[in-house]
Every structure is written in structure tokens, then in C-alpha cells.
Amino acid sequence: AFDSVEQIIRDLSSCLIVASTVIFVVLTLAFRSVVLGLASVVPNAFPVVALAAILAAWDQPLTYASVLVFMIALGIAVDDTIHFIFRYQRGRRRGESVTLAVRLAYETVGPAMLTTTIIFVAAFASLRSSTSPQHHTLAILGGWAMLLALGGDLVILPAMLLWGQSPTQNAPGD
């Protein structure tokens, strides 16, 4: 059993490295910006790293269900990041300052991201009615995963976009 857990951990680690690399490359190409590609790495990695910390704090082993939740968290975080950054880029192309573009992205896509998160958390919470302990663990981890992904994209991502830039910096070409 110990060997299979070690194999799960190795597989998860390699899958996350590959997934993170692919996500970075695809987002860099989609955003046409290495800076935005790099800015997307931290909020997308955050829910996965935080979930691993939660599992460690609860002294819970890595299971197939928890690996599945890691991948779901990564997928949701990436989806939210794409929406946020595309809205941010649209604002910058219109000449909005960095601060205004971030604020409008937050106001425009933030409510949809919040609504999606609430729906996912409710869906995972419904697993609590199961008699299976694995389903209870999946419900708790899944709920946390959604909340952490939202936090990464509504707290960390805006900070990454604002970091190192003058808040009133004009859009490129202005």
C-alpha cells in the first residue's frame, strides 16, 4: 500500500509540473504576454499547494479522490484566470490604467466567478449526505478547492497584475 501511495505522489507531482508548464505556455500564447503568463502561475498554483497543506495539516493521505480534487481546483483556477486576464487586457487596450483595468475586471467577472464557486461548493457539499467517509473527504476538499481557487483569482491575481507597475501607467502605445 505504501508503494502505491508513493507512486500516486510521484505521478501527481509530475502531472502537476507538466500541467503547470502547459498552462503557462498556453496562457502566455493566448495573452500574447510572458508577463501575464507568469502572473497567472501563482494564483493557479495556489489552490493546489494550499490543498496539499490542508491534507498535511489534517494528517490525511493522498488518495485518488484528493488527486482528482487537485486537478479540478487547477482547472477552475485556470478558467477564472483566463476570464479575469482577458477582461483586464481589454481594459488596457482601451487605455484604462492598470488599476482601473484590474478594478473593472474584478467588478465584471468577479460576480460570475463567485456564483460559479457557490454552485460548486454546494455541489460538493451535497456529498456530505453520503454514508461513505471518502465522499465526506471529497466534499470537504472539493469545497475548499473551489474557495481557494476563487481566492487565488480574486486576491492573488489582481495583486500580481498590480505588482511592479505604476497604478496610473497608461496602456501600451499611449
Side-chain angles (χ1 to χ4, degrees):
F2 184 72
D3 289 338
S4 64
V5 171
E6 283 185 349
Q7 185 62 44
I8 292 171
I9 292 169
R10 281 193 300 274
D11 289 348
L12 175 63
S13 298
S14 63
C15 287
L16 287 174
I17 290 168
V18 169
S20 297
T21 303
V22 169
I23 289 165
F24 165 71
V25 169
V26 169
L27 293 183
T28 296
L29 293 172
F31 301 143
R32 294 181 176 88
S33 168
V34 173
V35 171
L36 291 177
L38 288 171
S40 70
V41 170
V42 175
N44 290 323
F46 173 70
V48 175
V49 171
L51 281 174
I54 289 170
L55 282 175
W58 290 345
D59 198 29
Q60 293 292 313
L62 196 59
T63 64
Y64 291 111
S66 58
V67 171
L68 177 65
V69 171
F70 280 34
M71 294 301 148
I72 292 169
L74 184 59
I76 294 298
V78 169
D79 183 62
D80 287 350
T81 297
I82 290 168
H83 291 292
F84 196 98
I85 291 180
F86 271 125
R87 174 55 186 93
Y88 167 81
Q89 279 187 309
R90 186 179 326 137
R92 295 294 287 141
R93 281 193 293 273
R94 285 190 213 158
E96 295 167 5
S97 69
V98 172
T99 303
L100 181 60
V102 166
R103 190 188 73 182
L104 292 176
Y106 200 97
E107 292 173 357
T108 305
V109 299
M113 292 162 58
L114 179 61
T115 302
T116 302
T117 299
I118 291 169
I119 291 168
F120 269 112
V121 168
F124 276 112
S126 71
L127 288 172
R128 295 285 294 167
S129 64
S130 171
T131 58
S132 166
Q134 293 85 2
H135 289 160
H136 289 196
T137 301
L138 182 62
I140 293 167
L141 282 179
W144 274 108
M146 298 304 101
L147 293 171
L148 292 164
L150 181 68
D153 283 313
L154 290 183
V155 177
I156 297 171
L157 180 58
M160 297 295 295
L161 293 172
L162 291 169
W163 183 47
Q165 297 190 46
S166 168
T168 57
Q169 178 182 0
N170 289 330
D174 287 349

